[in-house]
Amino acid sequence: MSQADDPATGTVGDLGEFALIGRATAGRIHPPSVAIGPGDDAAVIAAPDSRVVVTTDMLVEGRHFRLDWSSHHDVGRKAIAQNAADIAAMGARCTGFLVSMSCPSTTAVSDVDALTAGLWAEATRVGASIVGGDVTGGDRLVLSITALGDLEGRPPVLRSGARPGDVLALSGPTGRSAAGWALYEAGSATYPDLLAAHRVPTPDPADGPAAARAGASSMCDVSDGVIGDAGHLSAMSAVRLDISAADMEIPEDVVQAGIELGVDPLHWALGGGEDHVLLATFASDDVPTGWRRIGSVSAGTGVTVDGVRWEGPAAWTSF
Amino acid sequence: MSQADDPATGTVGDLGEFALIGRATAGRIHPPSVAIGPGDDAAVIAAPDSRVVVTTDMLVEGRHFRLDWSSHHDVGRKAIAQNAADIAAMGARCTGFLVSMSCPSTTAVSDVDALTAGLWAEATRVGASIVGGDVTGGDRLVLSITALGDLEGRPPVLRSGARPGDVLALSGPTGRSAAGWALYEAGSATYPDLLAAHRVPTPDPADGPAAARAGASSMCDVSDGVIGDAGHLSAMSAVRLDISAADMEIPEDVVQAGIELGVDPLHWALGGGEDHVLLATFASDDVPTGWRRIGSVSAGTGVTVDGVRWEGPAAWTSF
């Protein structure tokens, strides 16, 4: 094929909607649970539990991601990862994703190919596939992801079930995405793992079902920051959550990045969002292996750190 | 409450994401099949068939709708209706919708309220509710809708099942949306029902399950126009579809609008999209009551009208 004939060197406008969908879907491998994949009016996927867990997020270029920091592949991966985390936060296993995309007709097909590869890579990593979607023109890149999940016979783990006497725990470290963001802002390339953690969070998709099996009483993923998300659990469970600062895990590279940038790394760990690890409450003996206790649940309202209301940076806002 | 304190007179930016979500979700009535509605990390809805049907569409202001023609209420209704039609086209019943919205922070809260009311009105009309979503800032209004459905124990009706000897049938008239569009373009207000049909299609949500019960061999909804959508059935079923022009239903107001604008109304009926009625094939004796036979299925490829390849206007393109 000559270069002039190779669609990968052209634009989305040259290629057209149907050929673009063909590139995104042709030859992809779906799990056996996908009865009908892309190409019909709708997809059909197994819901063995006879209930389906479903969530959606919209990502807007310049607001949720920056194409000067993140590759199209990264953007695709992160878009899937943050929706997968919402499924995990219910204690469910991901069963499928739908992806809608709006982009300018001048967008390079190679960029869309990279985005698609990232979407598929992360969907596959969490054990699922992309079963449908939509593409359309628009002024800038907008992605909308819907994730579906299965509860495998368990009750969903809600935000509202925390009880006084429970312990508060995290499935992994927080603040890595916020530290990476701060490094990008400062133009520093010193800690590539933190930059990567900001571009693409990679929580373990098994953590949500494991927490549910262990009897988690409430759970959410850390998208707004530990303080902000603890606030959601506190408000919806009508309990007080007290976080012990000394119990927060601060990875060594986050400590070092804090020194480089003159930031208390505890602020990233408590206030930074988008790590997409899980924050949950458990009866004291039920905390799963690999989780870290960071606090306690008591009667009352609100979130405190070492008994004091947190005065650090506010959570993410959409407007 | 003084006017200054009334959030309905303010903007989305004044109100903020969480209050906006609160206005869209508080006090809404969900069917009993919605186990967990909005407010947690994800929703949980019943999937009694142990399979879930799922589809998504993205609508961009200025491309899929015009706010000088359509009210925000209309836009909300149409966004749900076109996704509900994709569920119906599989022979399924709608069980829930998710809605993501991006809009400028300067958007009036009253406009979002009207949009939300339209979304809810149409979701309710088709027997379901809005179980989740996302709102975020952006340059212009972008909506992404995901619809879920249940097959009630039936096999899905695919695009690929048409067989030579079947008949081709429509669940309702086509061309009304296209006629309405042409009237808007011409600045005519002569046929308000056609203008309304363009703003909000209102197919009967029972048509899809009824067609499936009747044994439809293939089906899709008319979004790209009868010719374009028949082309999808033809290609995926590897059959030839021949449409009889004399059998197309042309409502009297469409005929009159054609005279006013100097357009052959058959072009609207065959080439116009967005009516979202259903196009299906059946064994000759199986066509359900209320459907209209418009053609036949034979061995071969492609779509013809009265035996001749159609040379009318092309279908909708996204770029």
Side-chain angles (χ1 to χ4, degrees), chain A residues 58 60 102 136 138 140 142 144, chain B residues 58-61 65 99-104 115 134 136 138-144:
Chain A
M58 184 175 273
V60 178
S102 167
T136 189
R140 64 169 64 196
V142 178
S144 178
Chain B
M58 183 175 274
L59 295 86
V60 178
E61 180 186 344
F65 57 87
V99 178
S100 285
M101 179 185 76
S102 168
C103 68
L115 179 72
D134 189 22
T136 187
D139 291 341
R140 64 168 64 195
L141 182 56
V142 178
L143 283 171
S144 178

Side-chain angles (χ1 to χ4, degrees), chain B residues 7-8 15 20 23-24 28 73 108-118:
Chain B
L15 193 62
L20 198 67
R23 288 177 82 80
R28 307 284 179 177
H73 193 275
V109 171
S110 57
D111 286 340
V112 177
D113 285 349
L115 179 72
T116 303

